[in-house]
Amino acid sequence: MDRFIFITLLFVAISGCSSKGGFVKYANPDEQFIDIHGNIEKPLTYEIKVEYRTHSHLSQCTNYHIALGRDVPQQFEINYRPEIIGELHSIRVPLQELDPTTICKWKPVMAFVCIGSETKEPTSCTSVFSFRGVHDIDPITTLECSENSFCFDSKSNIKSGAINEFNKKYQLNLVIK
């Protein structure tokens, strides 16, 4: 009987791990990327958070959301730190950290800028780029950030921030409001 319970628990544990829908790191995450560069005012610092979601309706690729009363795609986030030299910053953000060829079809859907300062870790995140299959972005994106880490698009940004062109540079300026 103990052996049966052990085998059952082992099966549940294995299926539970695979229920993350083919959660597999991709061998070449830089195959698709965006390079972000621009100006950054002192004492600001930041990190980029990329949100991945599954794009399959299979049960092992979704989670039940009680408040919505339905299944929703699973999601996973990966953070990246830039290089900041003086008042210039740059970062290469890989967009294929999770293997898109698994049964769940993991894809990046949004990139966030999480702002902090030299004395405070980044905490507050603002969406800056979305990957929706359209392209509607200004050549230069400027975020105005307050000392308490909240950022807002400057009034000059009237577009949606959607990107469908990868493996190229995007300018992002971070200024103190």
Side-chain angles (χ1 to χ4, degrees):
M1 186 68 161
D2 287 336
R3 179 178 274 178
F4 176 75
I5 292 172
F6 174 76
I7 291 172
T8 303
L9 289 174
L10 182 61
F11 176 76
V12 168
I14 290 171
S15 10
C17 293
S18 66
S19 73
K20 282 293 182 190
F23 187 82
V24 176
K25 293 283 187 174
Y26 192 63
N28 188 10
D30 275 347
E31 188 174 287
Q32 183 172 300
F33 64 88
I34 54 174
D35 285 333
I36 301 171
H37 69 97
N39 300 319
I40 185 168
E41 290 185 2
K42 295 278 184 192
L44 295 177
T45 187
Y46 75 97
E47 63 186 25
I48 296 291
K49 179 188 299 188
V50 176
E51 179 183 304
Y52 289 83
R53 288 188 194 156
T54 58
H55 285 76
S56 171
H57 298 292
L58 297 173
S59 62
Q60 65 260 41
C61 304
T62 60
N63 292 324
Y64 185 75
H65 192 285
I66 294 173
L68 295 176
R70 63 181 177 97
D71 288 332
V72 296
Q74 290 182 12
Q75 66 183 46
F76 187 77
E77 297 170 343
I78 300 176
N79 294 359
Y80 303 96
R81 291 279 186 152
E83 179 179 19
I84 299 175
I85 299 173
E87 292 193 356
L88 299 175
H89 71 90
S90 64
I91 184 172
R92 172 159 287 179
V93 181
L95 297 174
Q96 286 192 322
E97 286 282 353
L98 302 181
D99 193 340
T101 63
T102 61
I103 61 170
C104 287
K105 303 173 188 168
W106 288 94
K107 293 180 186 174
V109 292
M110 185 75 66
F112 299 88
V113 173
C114 304
I115 293 293
S117 69
E118 292 171 344
T119 59
K120 188 173 149 186
E121 284 293 310
T123 54
S124 178
C125 299
T126 303
S127 63
V128 66
F129 301 118
S130 66
F131 313 118
R132 298 181 299 156
V134 296
H135 200 85
D136 180 22
I137 191 166
D138 287 329
I140 299 173
T141 301
T142 301
L143 293 181
E144 298 175 345
C145 306
S146 65
E147 289 286 338
N148 60 359
S149 301
F150 290 101
C151 292
F152 304 95
D153 278 332
S154 71
K155 292 181 179 28
S156 65
N157 295 332
I158 57 173
K159 309 245 174 140
S160 72
I163 294 175
N164 73 347
E165 296 175 15
F166 303 106
N167 300 358
K168 65 180 276 186
K169 286 186 176 189
Y170 290 94
Q171 186 169 345
L172 173 66
N173 296 327
L174 302 167
V175 298
I176 295 178
K177 181 175 180 175

